[in-house]
Amino acid sequence: QVQLAESGGGSVQAGESLRLSCTLSGFTGGDNSWNQYYLAWFRQTPAKGREGVACIAADGTTKYADSAEGRFTISLDKAANTLYLQIKNLKPDDAGLFYCAAQRRSLYTSFWHCSRASSDFHNWGQGTQVTVSS
C-alpha cells in the first residue's frame, strides 16, 4: 500500500507563493509504475469540508477547481517520487489543511482519469497546514 507524507505548509502573507510537497513510498513489485496511479491535492476547511483543488491523471492530464485555476499548479516528479502543488499569489481563502491522495487505477479506470472527488481515494497523507494573513 502506498504511503504519503505532505510537507511545505506554513504561515504566509497574502500575495506570496508556496510549494507543497507530497512524498510517496510503499510501491511494491509491479506497482512501482506511475501509470498505475492517479493523484490529487485536497484542502480541508471548517466551512467547506474537504474539497479537491487539483488532480493529475496517469497520463499527466491535470484539472483544477475553479478557485485554483491559474494560480495552482500540480506536478509530479517521478524520479523523486514526489507530488507538488505550487500556489502563487496566495489569498486568505486559500488557507486550510492540505492533503495529498493517491489511488491505483482499476481495470475499468482510464489512463486519463483525473479525479477531485475524495470518495475516489483510499490513500491519504496526514496533511500540512497553510495559513494566509491579509
Side-chain angles (χ1 to χ4, degrees):
Q1 185 173 351
V2 65
Q3 291 90 45
L4 303 97
E6 303 93 339
S7 62
S11 296
V12 298
Q13 295 289 321
E16 293 182 344
S17 298
L18 205 60
R19 188 176 76 164
L20 306 182
S21 299
C22 172
T23 302
L24 298 97
S25 61
F27 296 104
T28 57
D31 282 345
N32 193 11
S33 172
W34 286 107
N35 66 7
Q36 299 293 327
Y37 288 85
Y38 54 95
L39 307 141
W41 281 98
F42 291 80
R43 176 178 58 215
Q44 184 163 321
T45 61
K48 296 183 178 180
R50 189 172 296 189
E51 57 178 344
V53 295
C55 64
I56 185 166
D59 72 345
T61 298
T62 58
K63 294 182 180 178
Y64 297 91
D66 289 344
S67 62
E69 193 74 54
R71 294 188 300 114
F72 289 37
T73 303
I74 187 171
S75 62
L76 176 63
D77 184 337
K78 297 179 181 180
N81 283 2
T82 303
L83 179 72
Y84 296 104
L85 184 68
Q86 177 76 44
I87 311 174
K88 298 180 180 180
N89 188 23
L90 275 150
K91 305 177 185 300
D93 285 349
D94 294 328
L97 184 60
F98 282 76
Y99 294 92
C100 58
Q103 187 60 38
R104 195 172 191 272
R105 292 191 303 119
S106 73
L107 291 176
Y108 309 102
T109 306
S110 66
F111 193 51
W112 52 90
H113 180 71
C114 190
S115 174
R116 291 185 289 108
S118 58
S119 58
D120 275 357
F121 294 88
H122 296 95
N123 302 291
W124 296 84
Q126 295 300 306
T128 186
Q129 183 71 43
V130 173
T131 304
V132 184
S133 302
S134 58

